[in-house]
């Protein structure tokens, strides 16, 4: 009711005002509420509406008491971990110790992660403020407020089980032929690393950078937005001997070296400078990218970690970043390889947008 009344007052307040030009790409939500006394009819209507007795709507639950109790017991059971499978939508229930060991197997890989003694969120905040204050002309007042003023929270790490790649699980599925598959702890199960940081110190900067860089994706020749876009790229007629081939990059997000990523961003920004507003200089974009890549810290099982290779699967600009890196490598490949084929080739690389 309060939100509805606020919308009424805002509509009346701005009805006779010309909209101001604002180039802000992001902004914090406004809490402004116009004062009363501007329109007596509106004031009377809102007062009557606010005083009108509302009867709460009774909601019938679609779960029985036993089912709700069972769900609550599962939620409170610390001996198990329940996760959605990486592919297919299946639900996976794992022993919590087994899950912890599997996660730590990944986090102990010094190629990608390292344990750090303390939480560094306050340092990351300071570093981001330094970047924002260095490029004062890059952001509007509302963008600056959005990037700087918000409640921060440390990122958490979790893994989605890749049951579709586990031979032991596939064997159990084939042998049991049941909707519910029960098996021993598979030794070949891998997890997709997810760093959940919806309120991390760099989350909003990542979102801002994603908005800035996303227009460059359309210039990547092999960029496919989604399955519908893929169908539109298929030729109407193909030779009889044509082959449709797909390739998958192993752990794409975590395998992109920072130097390569920075080089790719610089390449696309320079090549299509007119696709990005002039106030976003190359230095601002590159420094912002470095800040996000080099300060991806998170928490798991009582310990703090830092990712020092690749980008987090969970940060907003990761899909756009990966698309531009793959497009850059593709351009480099085209320059180095001389094709011997006399007939045109059709190729595409699909990088998910979410």
């Amino acid at each position: 009711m309060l939100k509805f009344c606020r919308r009424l007052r805002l509509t009346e307040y701005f009805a006779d005002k010309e909209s101001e030009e604002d180039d802000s790409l992001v902004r914090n939500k406004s809490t402004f509420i116009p004062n009363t006394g501007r329109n007596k009819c509106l004031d009377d209507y809102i007062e009557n509406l606010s005083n009108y007795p509302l009867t709460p709507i009774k909601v019938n639950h679609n779960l029985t008491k036993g089912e709700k109790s069972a769900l609550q017991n599962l939620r409170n059971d610390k001996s198990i971990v329940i996760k959605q499978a990486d592919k297919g939508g299946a639900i996976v229930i794992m022993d919590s110790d087994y899950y912890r060991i599997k996660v730590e197997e990944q986090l102990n890989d010094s190629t990608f992660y390292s344990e750090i003694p303390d939480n560094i969120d306050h340092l990351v905040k300071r570093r981001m403020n330094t970047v924002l204050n260095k490029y004062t002309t890059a952001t509007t007042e509302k963008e600056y407020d959005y990037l700087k003023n918000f409640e921060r929270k440390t990122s958490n790490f979790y893994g989605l089980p890749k049951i579709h790649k586990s031979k032991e699980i596939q064997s159990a599925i084939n042998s049991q032929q049941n909707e519910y598959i029960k098996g021993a702890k598979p030794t070949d199960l891998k997890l997709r690393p997810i760093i959940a940081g919806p309120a991390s110190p760099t989350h909003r900067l990542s979102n801002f950078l994603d908005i800035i860089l996303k227009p460059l994706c359309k210039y990547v020749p092999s960029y496919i937005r989604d399955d519908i876009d893929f169908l539109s790229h298929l030729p109407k007629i193909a030779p009889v001997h044509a082959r449709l081939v797909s390739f998958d990059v192993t752990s794409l997000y975590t395998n992109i070296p920072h130097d390569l990523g920075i080089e790719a961003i610089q390449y696309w920004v320079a090549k299509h400078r007119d696709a990005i507003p002039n106030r976003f200089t190359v230095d601002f974009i590159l420094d912002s990218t470095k800040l996000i890549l080099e300060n991806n810290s998170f928490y798991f099982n009582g310990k703090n970690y830092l990712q020092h290779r690749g980008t987090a699967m969970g940060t907003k600009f990761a899909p756009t970043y990966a698309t531009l890196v793959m497009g850059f490598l593709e351009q480099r490949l085209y320059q180095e390889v001389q094709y011997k084929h006399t007939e045109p080739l059709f190729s595409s690389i699909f990088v998910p947008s979410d």
Side-chain angles (χ1 to χ4, degrees):
M1 180 65 73
L2 293 176
K3 290 182 179 179
F4 176 69
C5 293
R6 177 175 179 266
R7 285 200 297 268
L8 290 177
R9 292 199 180 278
L10 289 173
T11 301
E12 185 276 332
Y13 181 84
F14 289 105
D16 57 350
K17 290 181 172 57
E18 294 184 3
S19 59
E20 299 179 359
E21 290 189 9
D22 186 1
D23 295 331
S24 300
L25 302 180
V26 291
R27 69 196 69 192
N28 278 321
K29 289 185 177 180
S30 172
T31 58
F32 170 67
I33 301 178
N35 294 325
T36 59
R38 290 176 47 85
N39 186 308
K40 187 177 184 306
C41 293
L42 179 61
D43 291 342
D44 292 342
Y45 176 77
I46 290 178
E47 183 179 0
N48 292 331
L49 191 63
S50 301
N51 295 329
Y52 188 82
L54 297 177
T55 303
I57 299 175
K58 185 178 180 181
V59 178
N60 295 320
H61 294 283
N62 59 355
L63 297 178
T64 65
K65 288 184 178 180
E67 290 171 335
K68 288 190 287 186
S69 176
L71 285 176
Q72 191 63 39
N73 290 336
L74 286 172
R75 177 180 293 179
N76 296 333
D77 191 345
K78 303 302 181 183
S79 67
I80 60 173
V81 172
I82 304 175
K83 294 293 181 185
Q84 184 177 355
D86 179 51
K87 295 287 192 302
I91 300 299
V92 183
I93 303 176
M94 296 169 283
D95 176 84
S96 58
D97 289 335
Y98 169 79
Y99 172 75
R100 175 183 54 79
I101 291 172
K102 282 296 179 181
V103 170
E104 290 178 346
E105 283 179 1
Q106 289 187 296
L107 297 182
N108 290 334
D109 188 343
S110 59
T111 304
F112 304 100
Y113 309 102
S114 61
E115 185 180 344
I116 53 178
D118 301 303
N119 184 300
I120 63 170
D121 284 358
H122 63 290
L123 296 177
V124 179
K125 177 183 176 182
R126 192 181 307 164
R127 292 165 187 165
M128 190 168 73
N129 289 341
T130 299
V131 171
L132 294 177
N133 293 331
K134 180 180 178 181
Y135 301 100
T136 54
T137 59
T139 57
T140 65
E141 184 178 342
K142 292 179 180 178
E143 289 169 345
Y144 183 84
D145 178 63
Y146 169 85
L147 295 171
K148 190 173 181 179
N149 299 318
F150 64 97
E151 186 175 349
R152 295 162 181 81
K153 186 178 180 181
T154 302
S155 301
N156 289 305
F157 184 99
Y158 67 91
L160 298 179
K162 298 182 178 181
I163 61 175
H164 61 291
K165 292 189 176 181
S166 169
K167 293 183 179 179
E168 295 179 31
I169 293 178
Q170 293 303 314
S171 176
I173 293 174
N174 294 332
S175 62
Q176 296 181 33
Q177 293 293 319
N178 199 333
E179 187 175 355
Y180 307 99
I181 306 300
K182 184 177 181 180
K185 303 170 184 176
T187 58
D188 62 344
L189 180 65
K190 302 295 183 182
L191 302 176
R192 181 178 298 280
I194 306 293
I195 298 176
S200 70
T202 61
H203 170 71
R204 290 196 171 188
L205 181 62
S206 179
N207 179 50
F208 187 51
L209 197 59
D210 181 59
I211 295 173
I212 296 172
L213 296 177
K214 188 167 287 185
L216 296 174
C217 290
K218 65 182 180 182
Y219 297 108
V220 176
S222 60
Y223 173 63
I224 304 296
R225 186 179 62 254
D226 50 33
D227 51 356
I228 302 299
D229 189 32
F230 172 74
L231 293 176
S232 68
H233 281 74
L234 289 174
K236 294 182 179 180
I237 300 176
V240 176
H241 60 273
R243 295 291 183 270
L244 182 62
V245 182
S246 64
F247 298 90
D248 181 29
V249 180
T250 302
S251 302
L252 172 60
Y253 288 11
T254 52
N255 272 319
I256 301 175
H258 291 173
D259 290 344
L260 173 62
I262 295 297
E263 186 180 2
I265 296 296
Q266 189 170 15
Y267 169 83
W268 288 109
V269 172
K271 188 172 183 179
H272 300 283
R273 191 65 188 87
D274 56 341
I276 296 176
N278 290 330
R279 62 189 174 99
F280 302 127
T281 64
V282 176
D283 288 340
F284 169 74
I285 293 173
L286 296 183
D287 282 353
S288 298
T289 302
K290 291 177 184 177
L291 180 67
I292 295 169
L293 295 175
E294 296 173 358
N295 293 279
N296 184 26
S297 61
F298 55 90
Y299 177 89
F300 178 78
N301 195 36
K303 298 179 181 179
N304 294 291
Y305 294 87
L306 181 68
Q307 181 175 347
H308 44 76
R309 181 185 175 93
T311 184
M313 181 171 291
T315 189
K316 187 67 176 179
F317 95 126
T320 296
Y321 175 72
T323 297
L324 296 178
V325 170
M326 292 300 296
F328 172 67
L329 292 177
E330 187 181 42
Q331 293 297 305
R332 180 188 289 179
L333 179 65
Y334 287 160
Q335 294 173 1
E336 295 178 357
V337 176
Q338 293 182 350
Y339 290 106
K340 298 180 180 179
H341 300 277
T342 57
E343 297 181 4
L345 296 175
F346 173 78
S347 64
S348 65
I349 298 174
F350 172 66
V351 178
S353 58
D354 290 313

